[in-house]
Amino acid sequence: MSTVSKPVPHKFLEARIVSQRYSYSGNSVKSHFFLPYTNATTGRRSSSRREILLIYRGPIGGAAVPERKPLSVVHMASSNVDNKDDRISRISSSIRVIPDFPKPGIMFQDITTLLLDPKAFKDTIDLFVERYKDKNINVVAGVEARGFIFGPPIALAIGAKFVPMRKPKKLPGEVISEEYSLEYGTDKIEMHVGAVQPGERAVVVDDLIATGGTLTAAINLLERVGVEVVECACVIELPELKGRDRLGEKQLFVLVSST
């Protein structure tokens, strides 16, 4: 007989406000809770600085966690999403982190728990739809495998076609492929010939960006056949792996950033 472990309740141990200057990428800024920064000397608000509320937490009734980390932060386009949008915290809290999976040292970001929460799942899709509904997008390209979860509902909502970007030997028709490097060796991503047309505008969708190799391959594959890749869209970013840097000047829209 199997047993189900009970979730550990948490209480807030500390909350503090930190003034910080942020580097911008396109029209996005890295933060979770935005608070306007006011210069104490001039009394004017600055557009280049923000104050971010960092909240730390630990088990109720126990000692503080030795290495406390802030809750997830967010990369959002401030022109598209209310900075205090409560959908973000709902999405973030619904994502389960599993340590040492699939191998020791990996903190696996499990989006299956998000999918079990209809409200959080809908919020996720809605945020992407709000982002792309007026950008004349013809193609939503979903990267195997979890890009297949988020891509189709986005495509349907904005009136675009969904194109699967698959691993080798998964598509039955004639394919075009792009090879990319892994930590050890290489892999490929493939797309059906004729699935997209030159001049179409695409968004590449995946659940998570880590090193950025798969997204870069998807971009290269689409651009080889004349498609304009407007942006990449992911639910989660692992910023310590610097996948954003690998994308170069290509825009990246991310809802939740792991800390």
PDB file of all heavy atoms in Angstrom, residues 166-202:
ATOM      1  N   ARG A 166       9.280  18.601 -33.852  1.00  0.00           N
ATOM      2  CA  ARG A 166       9.401  17.286 -33.248  1.00  0.00           C
ATOM      3  C   ARG A 166      10.834  16.758 -33.224  1.00  0.00           C
ATOM      4  O   ARG A 166      11.708  17.228 -33.966  1.00  0.00           O
ATOM      5  CB  ARG A 166       8.514  16.286 -33.982  1.00  0.00           C
ATOM      6  CG  ARG A 166       7.034  16.655 -33.965  1.00  0.00           C
ATOM      7  CD  ARG A 166       6.168  15.457 -33.751  1.00  0.00           C
ATOM      8  NE  ARG A 166       6.451  14.804 -32.476  1.00  0.00           N
ATOM      9  CZ  ARG A 166       5.813  13.700 -32.075  1.00  0.00           C
ATOM     10  NH1 ARG A 166       4.901  13.138 -32.861  1.00  0.00           N
ATOM     11  NH2 ARG A 166       6.103  13.150 -30.908  1.00  0.00           N
ATOM     12  N   LYS A 167      11.036  15.760 -32.379  1.00  0.00           N
ATOM     13  CA  LYS A 167      12.297  15.039 -32.342  1.00  0.00           C
ATOM     14  C   LYS A 167      12.408  14.154 -33.584  1.00  0.00           C
ATOM     15  O   LYS A 167      11.405  13.894 -34.252  1.00  0.00           O
ATOM     16  CB  LYS A 167      12.386  14.208 -31.067  1.00  0.00           C
ATOM     17  CG  LYS A 167      12.427  15.077 -29.807  1.00  0.00           C
ATOM     18  CD  LYS A 167      12.436  14.243 -28.542  1.00  0.00           C
ATOM     19  CE  LYS A 167      12.449  15.148 -27.306  1.00  0.00           C
ATOM     20  NZ  LYS A 167      12.432  14.367 -26.040  1.00  0.00           N
ATOM     21  N   PRO A 168      13.631  13.668 -33.916  1.00  0.00           N
ATOM     22  CA  PRO A 168      13.822  12.909 -35.151  1.00  0.00           C
ATOM     23  C   PRO A 168      12.939  11.668 -35.250  1.00  0.00           C
ATOM     24  O   PRO A 168      12.644  11.008 -34.258  1.00  0.00           O
ATOM     25  CB  PRO A 168      15.311  12.513 -35.092  1.00  0.00           C
ATOM     26  CG  PRO A 168      15.938  13.567 -34.233  1.00  0.00           C
ATOM     27  CD  PRO A 168      14.906  13.915 -33.221  1.00  0.00           C
ATOM     28  N   LYS A 169      12.492  11.403 -36.476  1.00  0.00           N
ATOM     29  CA  LYS A 169      11.745  10.193 -36.840  1.00  0.00           C
ATOM     30  C   LYS A 169      10.375  10.103 -36.168  1.00  0.00           C
ATOM     31  O   LYS A 169       9.850   9.012 -35.947  1.00  0.00           O
ATOM     32  CB  LYS A 169      12.575   8.940 -36.528  1.00  0.00           C
ATOM     33  CG  LYS A 169      13.898   8.892 -37.273  1.00  0.00           C
ATOM     34  CD  LYS A 169      14.696   7.644 -36.952  1.00  0.00           C
ATOM     35  CE  LYS A 169      16.018   7.630 -37.712  1.00  0.00           C
ATOM     36  NZ  LYS A 169      16.836   6.421 -37.400  1.00  0.00           N
ATOM     37  N   LYS A 170       9.785  11.244 -35.854  1.00  0.00           N
ATOM     38  CA  LYS A 170       8.445  11.276 -35.266  1.00  0.00           C
ATOM     39  C   LYS A 170       7.395  11.732 -36.276  1.00  0.00           C
ATOM     40  O   LYS A 170       6.218  11.387 -36.154  1.00  0.00           O
ATOM     41  CB  LYS A 170       8.415  12.214 -34.054  1.00  0.00           C
ATOM     42  CG  LYS A 170       9.307  11.784 -32.897  1.00  0.00           C
ATOM     43  CD  LYS A 170       8.761  10.558 -32.201  1.00  0.00           C
ATOM     44  CE  LYS A 170       9.569  10.246 -30.946  1.00  0.00           C
ATOM     45  NZ  LYS A 170       9.032   9.062 -30.234  1.00  0.00           N
ATOM     46  N   LEU A 171       7.806  12.503 -37.270  1.00  0.00           N
ATOM     47  CA  LEU A 171       6.865  13.017 -38.265  1.00  0.00           C
ATOM     48  C   LEU A 171       6.845  12.086 -39.478  1.00  0.00           C
ATOM     49  O   LEU A 171       7.902  11.658 -39.957  1.00  0.00           O
ATOM     50  CB  LEU A 171       7.256  14.431 -38.690  1.00  0.00           C
ATOM     51  CG  LEU A 171       7.128  15.499 -37.599  1.00  0.00           C
ATOM     52  CD1 LEU A 171       7.758  16.811 -38.058  1.00  0.00           C
ATOM     53  CD2 LEU A 171       5.667  15.712 -37.215  1.00  0.00           C
ATOM     54  N   PRO A 172       5.655  11.780 -40.017  1.00  0.00           N
ATOM     55  CA  PRO A 172       5.553  10.775 -41.081  1.00  0.00           C
ATOM     56  C   PRO A 172       5.904  11.275 -42.475  1.00  0.00           C
ATOM     57  O   PRO A 172       6.247  10.475 -43.350  1.00  0.00           O
ATOM     58  CB  PRO A 172       4.080  10.358 -41.020  1.00  0.00           C
ATOM     59  CG  PRO A 172       3.382  11.591 -40.522  1.00  0.00           C
ATOM     60  CD  PRO A 172       4.325  12.235 -39.561  1.00  0.00           C
ATOM     61  N   GLY A 173       5.796  12.583 -42.705  1.00  0.00           N
ATOM     62  CA  GLY A 173       6.029  13.111 -44.044  1.00  0.00           C
ATOM     63  C   GLY A 173       7.455  13.583 -44.242  1.00  0.00           C
ATOM     64  O   GLY A 173       8.345  13.344 -43.418  1.00  0.00           O
ATOM     65  N   GLU A 174       7.669  14.277 -45.380  1.00  0.00           N
ATOM     66  CA  GLU A 174       8.994  14.838 -45.657  1.00  0.00           C
ATOM     67  C   GLU A 174       9.283  15.948 -44.661  1.00  0.00           C
ATOM     68  O   GLU A 174       8.430  16.790 -44.378  1.00  0.00           O
ATOM     69  CB  GLU A 174       9.038  15.384 -47.088  1.00  0.00           C
ATOM     70  CG  GLU A 174      10.402  15.928 -47.489  1.00  0.00           C
ATOM     71  CD  GLU A 174      10.400  16.514 -48.890  1.00  0.00           C
ATOM     72  OE1 GLU A 174       9.321  16.511 -49.525  1.00  0.00           O
ATOM     73  OE2 GLU A 174      11.468  16.987 -49.323  1.00  0.00           O
ATOM     74  N   VAL A 175      10.496  15.955 -44.108  1.00  0.00           N
ATOM     75  CA  VAL A 175      10.821  16.908 -43.050  1.00  0.00           C
ATOM     76  C   VAL A 175      12.052  17.725 -43.398  1.00  0.00           C
ATOM     77  O   VAL A 175      12.864  17.348 -44.245  1.00  0.00           O
ATOM     78  CB  VAL A 175      11.067  16.192 -41.699  1.00  0.00           C
ATOM     79  CG1 VAL A 175       9.823  15.436 -41.253  1.00  0.00           C
ATOM     80  CG2 VAL A 175      12.276  15.269 -41.767  1.00  0.00           C
ATOM     81  N   ILE A 176      12.176  18.850 -42.724  1.00  0.00           N
ATOM     82  CA  ILE A 176      13.383  19.653 -42.711  1.00  0.00           C
ATOM     83  C   ILE A 176      13.864  19.648 -41.270  1.00  0.00           C
ATOM     84  O   ILE A 176      13.059  19.702 -40.330  1.00  0.00           O
ATOM     85  CB  ILE A 176      13.118  21.083 -43.223  1.00  0.00           C
ATOM     86  CG1 ILE A 176      14.403  21.914 -43.170  1.00  0.00           C
ATOM     87  CG2 ILE A 176      11.999  21.762 -42.460  1.00  0.00           C
ATOM     88  CD1 ILE A 176      14.246  23.296 -43.804  1.00  0.00           C
ATOM     89  N   SER A 177      15.178  19.526 -41.055  1.00  0.00           N
ATOM     90  CA  SER A 177      15.686  19.364 -39.700  1.00  0.00           C
ATOM     91  C   SER A 177      16.780  20.369 -39.389  1.00  0.00           C
ATOM     92  O   SER A 177      17.412  20.939 -40.289  1.00  0.00           O
ATOM     93  CB  SER A 177      16.215  17.939 -39.500  1.00  0.00           C
ATOM     94  OG  SER A 177      17.313  17.687 -40.350  1.00  0.00           O
ATOM     95  N   GLU A 178      16.982  20.572 -38.103  1.00  0.00           N
ATOM     96  CA  GLU A 178      18.039  21.458 -37.605  1.00  0.00           C
ATOM     97  C   GLU A 178      18.734  20.764 -36.448  1.00  0.00           C
ATOM     98  O   GLU A 178      18.098  20.320 -35.492  1.00  0.00           O
ATOM     99  CB  GLU A 178      17.435  22.779 -37.131  1.00  0.00           C
ATOM    100  CG  GLU A 178      18.430  23.779 -36.568  1.00  0.00           C
ATOM    101  CD  GLU A 178      19.259  24.488 -37.631  1.00  0.00           C
ATOM    102  OE1 GLU A 178      18.848  24.452 -38.819  1.00  0.00           O
ATOM    103  OE2 GLU A 178      20.293  25.090 -37.280  1.00  0.00           O
ATOM    104  N   GLU A 179      20.054  20.655 -36.533  1.00  0.00           N
ATOM    105  CA  GLU A 179      20.835  20.011 -35.484  1.00  0.00           C
ATOM    106  C   GLU A 179      21.286  21.041 -34.460  1.00  0.00           C
ATOM    107  O   GLU A 179      21.585  22.191 -34.805  1.00  0.00           O
ATOM    108  CB  GLU A 179      22.048  19.318 -36.096  1.00  0.00           C
ATOM    109  CG  GLU A 179      22.828  18.449 -35.115  1.00  0.00           C
ATOM    110  CD  GLU A 179      23.922  17.645 -35.810  1.00  0.00           C
ATOM    111  OE1 GLU A 179      25.027  18.202 -35.968  1.00  0.00           O
ATOM    112  OE2 GLU A 179      23.658  16.493 -36.208  1.00  0.00           O
ATOM    113  N   TYR A 180      21.331  20.636 -33.209  1.00  0.00           N
ATOM    114  CA  TYR A 180      21.819  21.530 -32.158  1.00  0.00           C
ATOM    115  C   TYR A 180      22.630  20.726 -31.150  1.00  0.00           C
ATOM    116  O   TYR A 180      22.495  19.508 -31.052  1.00  0.00           O
ATOM    117  CB  TYR A 180      20.667  22.272 -31.475  1.00  0.00           C
ATOM    118  CG  TYR A 180      19.651  21.393 -30.777  1.00  0.00           C
ATOM    119  CD1 TYR A 180      19.701  21.183 -29.397  1.00  0.00           C
ATOM    120  CD2 TYR A 180      18.615  20.787 -31.489  1.00  0.00           C
ATOM    121  CE1 TYR A 180      18.760  20.392 -28.761  1.00  0.00           C
ATOM    122  CE2 TYR A 180      17.668  19.996 -30.853  1.00  0.00           C
ATOM    123  CZ  TYR A 180      17.752  19.805 -29.489  1.00  0.00           C
ATOM    124  OH  TYR A 180      16.824  19.017 -28.852  1.00  0.00           O
ATOM    125  N   SER A 181      23.486  21.419 -30.417  1.00  0.00           N
ATOM    126  CA  SER A 181      24.404  20.737 -29.502  1.00  0.00           C
ATOM    127  C   SER A 181      23.798  20.559 -28.127  1.00  0.00           C
ATOM    128  O   SER A 181      23.032  21.397 -27.641  1.00  0.00           O
ATOM    129  CB  SER A 181      25.711  21.535 -29.384  1.00  0.00           C
ATOM    130  OG  SER A 181      25.458  22.837 -28.887  1.00  0.00           O
ATOM    131  N   LEU A 182      24.142  19.436 -27.498  1.00  0.00           N
ATOM    132  CA  LEU A 182      23.787  19.144 -26.125  1.00  0.00           C
ATOM    133  C   LEU A 182      25.062  19.152 -25.287  1.00  0.00           C
ATOM    134  O   LEU A 182      26.166  19.359 -25.815  1.00  0.00           O
ATOM    135  CB  LEU A 182      23.105  17.770 -26.035  1.00  0.00           C
ATOM    136  CG  LEU A 182      21.830  17.586 -26.845  1.00  0.00           C
ATOM    137  CD1 LEU A 182      21.416  16.123 -26.826  1.00  0.00           C
ATOM    138  CD2 LEU A 182      20.723  18.463 -26.301  1.00  0.00           C
ATOM    139  N   GLU A 183      24.904  18.922 -23.984  1.00  0.00           N
ATOM    140  CA  GLU A 183      26.088  18.869 -23.129  1.00  0.00           C
ATOM    141  C   GLU A 183      27.036  17.771 -23.608  1.00  0.00           C
ATOM    142  O   GLU A 183      28.249  17.942 -23.620  1.00  0.00           O
ATOM    143  CB  GLU A 183      25.670  18.614 -21.682  1.00  0.00           C
ATOM    144  CG  GLU A 183      26.832  18.667 -20.696  1.00  0.00           C
ATOM    145  CD  GLU A 183      26.386  18.464 -19.266  1.00  0.00           C
ATOM    146  OE1 GLU A 183      25.168  18.272 -19.044  1.00  0.00           O
ATOM    147  OE2 GLU A 183      27.252  18.495 -18.371  1.00  0.00           O
ATOM    148  N   TYR A 184      26.443  16.628 -24.013  1.00  0.00           N
ATOM    149  CA  TYR A 184      27.237  15.551 -24.578  1.00  0.00           C
ATOM    150  C   TYR A 184      26.579  15.131 -25.891  1.00  0.00           C
ATOM    151  O   TYR A 184      25.538  14.483 -25.891  1.00  0.00           O
ATOM    152  CB  TYR A 184      27.307  14.348 -23.623  1.00  0.00           C
ATOM    153  CG  TYR A 184      27.903  14.679 -22.276  1.00  0.00           C
ATOM    154  CD1 TYR A 184      27.093  14.861 -21.168  1.00  0.00           C
ATOM    155  CD2 TYR A 184      29.275  14.840 -22.122  1.00  0.00           C
ATOM    156  CE1 TYR A 184      27.640  15.173 -19.925  1.00  0.00           C
ATOM    157  CE2 TYR A 184      29.833  15.150 -20.893  1.00  0.00           C
ATOM    158  CZ  TYR A 184      29.013  15.315 -19.796  1.00  0.00           C
ATOM    159  OH  TYR A 184      29.559  15.631 -18.583  1.00  0.00           O
ATOM    160  N   GLY A 185      27.184  15.506 -27.018  1.00  0.00           N
ATOM    161  CA  GLY A 185      26.651  15.117 -28.316  1.00  0.00           C
ATOM    162  C   GLY A 185      25.728  16.159 -28.928  1.00  0.00           C
ATOM    163  O   GLY A 185      25.756  17.337 -28.571  1.00  0.00           O
ATOM    164  N   THR A 186      24.887  15.684 -29.837  1.00  0.00           N
ATOM    165  CA  THR A 186      23.968  16.568 -30.554  1.00  0.00           C
ATOM    166  C   THR A 186      22.586  15.933 -30.637  1.00  0.00           C
ATOM    167  O   THR A 186      22.404  14.748 -30.361  1.00  0.00           O
ATOM    168  CB  THR A 186      24.471  16.833 -31.990  1.00  0.00           C
ATOM    169  OG1 THR A 186      24.547  15.591 -32.703  1.00  0.00           O
ATOM    170  CG2 THR A 186      25.825  17.516 -31.977  1.00  0.00           C
ATOM    171  N   ASP A 187      21.605  16.750 -31.032  1.00  0.00           N
ATOM    172  CA  ASP A 187      20.256  16.267 -31.271  1.00  0.00           C
ATOM    173  C   ASP A 187      19.688  17.044 -32.451  1.00  0.00           C
ATOM    174  O   ASP A 187      20.329  17.970 -32.974  1.00  0.00           O
ATOM    175  CB  ASP A 187      19.392  16.440 -30.026  1.00  0.00           C
ATOM    176  CG  ASP A 187      18.220  15.456 -29.990  1.00  0.00           C
ATOM    177  OD1 ASP A 187      17.933  14.832 -31.030  1.00  0.00           O
ATOM    178  OD2 ASP A 187      17.590  15.321 -28.929  1.00  0.00           O
ATOM    179  N   LYS A 188      18.485  16.684 -32.868  1.00  0.00           N
ATOM    180  CA  LYS A 188      17.848  17.364 -33.990  1.00  0.00           C
ATOM    181  C   LYS A 188      16.407  17.700 -33.641  1.00  0.00           C
ATOM    182  O   LYS A 188      15.776  17.047 -32.812  1.00  0.00           O
ATOM    183  CB  LYS A 188      17.854  16.483 -35.249  1.00  0.00           C
ATOM    184  CG  LYS A 188      19.184  16.330 -35.922  1.00  0.00           C
ATOM    185  CD  LYS A 188      19.051  15.494 -37.192  1.00  0.00           C
ATOM    186  CE  LYS A 188      20.389  15.335 -37.888  1.00  0.00           C
ATOM    187  NZ  LYS A 188      20.260  14.518 -39.137  1.00  0.00           N
ATOM    188  N   ILE A 189      15.903  18.718 -34.311  1.00  0.00           N
ATOM    189  CA  ILE A 189      14.493  19.052 -34.239  1.00  0.00           C
ATOM    190  C   ILE A 189      13.990  19.126 -35.678  1.00  0.00           C
ATOM    191  O   ILE A 189      14.718  19.588 -36.574  1.00  0.00           O
ATOM    192  CB  ILE A 189      14.273  20.382 -33.481  1.00  0.00           C
ATOM    193  CG1 ILE A 189      12.796  20.595 -33.205  1.00  0.00           C
ATOM    194  CG2 ILE A 189      14.877  21.564 -34.216  1.00  0.00           C
ATOM    195  CD1 ILE A 189      12.545  21.738 -32.242  1.00  0.00           C
ATOM    196  N   GLU A 190      12.767  18.633 -35.918  1.00  0.00           N
ATOM    197  CA  GLU A 190      12.263  18.520 -37.285  1.00  0.00           C
ATOM    198  C   GLU A 190      10.875  19.130 -37.429  1.00  0.00           C
ATOM    199  O   GLU A 190      10.106  19.233 -36.461  1.00  0.00           O
ATOM    200  CB  GLU A 190      12.228  17.044 -37.705  1.00  0.00           C
ATOM    201  CG  GLU A 190      13.601  16.394 -37.740  1.00  0.00           C
ATOM    202  CD  GLU A 190      13.569  14.952 -38.220  1.00  0.00           C
ATOM    203  OE1 GLU A 190      12.498  14.315 -38.133  1.00  0.00           O
ATOM    204  OE2 GLU A 190      14.628  14.457 -38.676  1.00  0.00           O
ATOM    205  N   MET A 191      10.572  19.500 -38.670  1.00  0.00           N
ATOM    206  CA  MET A 191       9.281  20.093 -39.008  1.00  0.00           C
ATOM    207  C   MET A 191       8.892  19.612 -40.400  1.00  0.00           C
ATOM    208  O   MET A 191       9.753  19.390 -41.258  1.00  0.00           O
ATOM    209  CB  MET A 191       9.411  21.624 -38.982  1.00  0.00           C
ATOM    210  CG  MET A 191       8.205  22.399 -39.461  1.00  0.00           C
ATOM    211  SD  MET A 191       8.522  24.210 -39.375  1.00  0.00           S
ATOM    212  CE  MET A 191       9.811  24.385 -40.639  1.00  0.00           C
ATOM    213  N   HIS A 192       7.606  19.423 -40.642  1.00  0.00           N
ATOM    214  CA  HIS A 192       7.158  19.004 -41.962  1.00  0.00           C
ATOM    215  C   HIS A 192       7.465  20.069 -43.016  1.00  0.00           C
ATOM    216  O   HIS A 192       7.254  21.266 -42.779  1.00  0.00           O
ATOM    217  CB  HIS A 192       5.645  18.739 -41.961  1.00  0.00           C
ATOM    218  CG  HIS A 192       5.291  17.327 -41.628  1.00  0.00           C
ATOM    219  ND1 HIS A 192       4.210  16.996 -40.847  1.00  0.00           N
ATOM    220  CD2 HIS A 192       5.866  16.135 -41.979  1.00  0.00           C
ATOM    221  CE1 HIS A 192       4.134  15.681 -40.722  1.00  0.00           C
ATOM    222  NE2 HIS A 192       5.127  15.137 -41.399  1.00  0.00           N
ATOM    223  N   VAL A 193       7.951  19.615 -44.156  1.00  0.00           N
ATOM    224  CA  VAL A 193       8.120  20.510 -45.303  1.00  0.00           C
ATOM    225  C   VAL A 193       6.743  21.026 -45.719  1.00  0.00           C
ATOM    226  O   VAL A 193       5.787  20.248 -45.835  1.00  0.00           O
ATOM    227  CB  VAL A 193       8.799  19.760 -46.469  1.00  0.00           C
ATOM    228  CG1 VAL A 193       8.778  20.621 -47.743  1.00  0.00           C
ATOM    229  CG2 VAL A 193      10.226  19.371 -46.107  1.00  0.00           C
ATOM    230  N   GLY A 194       6.618  22.321 -45.925  1.00  0.00           N
ATOM    231  CA  GLY A 194       5.347  22.920 -46.340  1.00  0.00           C
ATOM    232  C   GLY A 194       4.431  23.316 -45.193  1.00  0.00           C
ATOM    233  O   GLY A 194       3.359  23.862 -45.426  1.00  0.00           O
ATOM    234  N   ALA A 195       4.841  23.029 -43.955  1.00  0.00           N
ATOM    235  CA  ALA A 195       3.989  23.382 -42.809  1.00  0.00           C
ATOM    236  C   ALA A 195       3.886  24.888 -42.625  1.00  0.00           C
ATOM    237  O   ALA A 195       2.873  25.400 -42.145  1.00  0.00           O
ATOM    238  CB  ALA A 195       4.527  22.740 -41.529  1.00  0.00           C
ATOM    239  N   VAL A 196       4.930  25.598 -43.012  1.00  0.00           N
ATOM    240  CA  VAL A 196       4.940  27.066 -42.924  1.00  0.00           C
ATOM    241  C   VAL A 196       5.335  27.631 -44.278  1.00  0.00           C
ATOM    242  O   VAL A 196       5.920  26.934 -45.118  1.00  0.00           O
ATOM    243  CB  VAL A 196       5.915  27.550 -41.836  1.00  0.00           C
ATOM    244  CG1 VAL A 196       5.452  27.105 -40.444  1.00  0.00           C
ATOM    245  CG2 VAL A 196       7.336  27.049 -42.095  1.00  0.00           C
ATOM    246  N   GLN A 197       5.037  28.907 -44.470  1.00  0.00           N
ATOM    247  CA  GLN A 197       5.322  29.570 -45.736  1.00  0.00           C
ATOM    248  C   GLN A 197       6.192  30.792 -45.511  1.00  0.00           C
ATOM    249  O   GLN A 197       6.119  31.431 -44.453  1.00  0.00           O
ATOM    250  CB  GLN A 197       4.010  29.985 -46.418  1.00  0.00           C
ATOM    251  CG  GLN A 197       3.051  28.851 -46.684  1.00  0.00           C
ATOM    252  CD  GLN A 197       3.623  27.781 -47.579  1.00  0.00           C
ATOM    253  OE1 GLN A 197       4.339  28.077 -48.544  1.00  0.00           O
ATOM    254  NE2 GLN A 197       3.333  26.515 -47.269  1.00  0.00           N
ATOM    255  N   PRO A 198       7.028  31.137 -46.485  1.00  0.00           N
ATOM    256  CA  PRO A 198       7.854  32.341 -46.355  1.00  0.00           C
ATOM    257  C   PRO A 198       6.988  33.578 -46.086  1.00  0.00           C
ATOM    258  O   PRO A 198       5.920  33.743 -46.668  1.00  0.00           O
ATOM    259  CB  PRO A 198       8.549  32.443 -47.724  1.00  0.00           C
ATOM    260  CG  PRO A 198       8.549  31.048 -48.251  1.00  0.00           C
ATOM    261  CD  PRO A 198       7.283  30.422 -47.749  1.00  0.00           C
ATOM    262  N   GLY A 199       7.455  34.420 -45.185  1.00  0.00           N
ATOM    263  CA  GLY A 199       6.730  35.645 -44.862  1.00  0.00           C
ATOM    264  C   GLY A 199       5.773  35.515 -43.695  1.00  0.00           C
ATOM    265  O   GLY A 199       5.262  36.529 -43.194  1.00  0.00           O
ATOM    266  N   GLU A 200       5.481  34.289 -43.254  1.00  0.00           N
ATOM    267  CA  GLU A 200       4.607  34.129 -42.102  1.00  0.00           C
ATOM    268  C   GLU A 200       5.334  34.554 -40.827  1.00  0.00           C
ATOM    269  O   GLU A 200       6.561  34.532 -40.744  1.00  0.00           O
ATOM    270  CB  GLU A 200       4.127  32.678 -41.987  1.00  0.00           C
ATOM    271  CG  GLU A 200       3.149  32.292 -43.075  1.00  0.00           C
ATOM    272  CD  GLU A 200       2.582  30.898 -42.898  1.00  0.00           C
ATOM    273  OE1 GLU A 200       3.353  29.968 -42.546  1.00  0.00           O
ATOM    274  OE2 GLU A 200       1.374  30.714 -43.142  1.00  0.00           O
ATOM    275  N   ARG A 201       4.533  34.945 -39.841  1.00  0.00           N
ATOM    276  CA  ARG A 201       5.063  35.413 -38.561  1.00  0.00           C
ATOM    277  C   ARG A 201       4.771  34.366 -37.484  1.00  0.00           C
ATOM    278  O   ARG A 201       3.626  33.935 -37.341  1.00  0.00           O
ATOM    279  CB  ARG A 201       4.436  36.756 -38.174  1.00  0.00           C
ATOM    280  CG  ARG A 201       4.912  37.907 -39.050  1.00  0.00           C
ATOM    281  CD  ARG A 201       4.023  39.141 -38.901  1.00  0.00           C
ATOM    282  NE  ARG A 201       3.882  39.571 -37.513  1.00  0.00           N
ATOM    283  CZ  ARG A 201       4.739  40.361 -36.872  1.00  0.00           C
ATOM    284  NH1 ARG A 201       5.844  40.780 -37.490  1.00  0.00           N
ATOM    285  NH2 ARG A 201       4.504  40.740 -35.621  1.00  0.00           N
ATOM    286  N   ALA A 202       5.817  33.990 -36.741  1.00  0.00           N
ATOM    287  CA  ALA A 202       5.687  32.869 -35.811  1.00  0.00           C
ATOM    288  C   ALA A 202       6.096  33.242 -34.394  1.00  0.00           C
ATOM    289  O   ALA A 202       6.944  34.113 -34.171  1.00  0.00           O
ATOM    290  CB  ALA A 202       6.536  31.690 -36.281  1.00  0.00           C
TER     291      ALA A 202
END
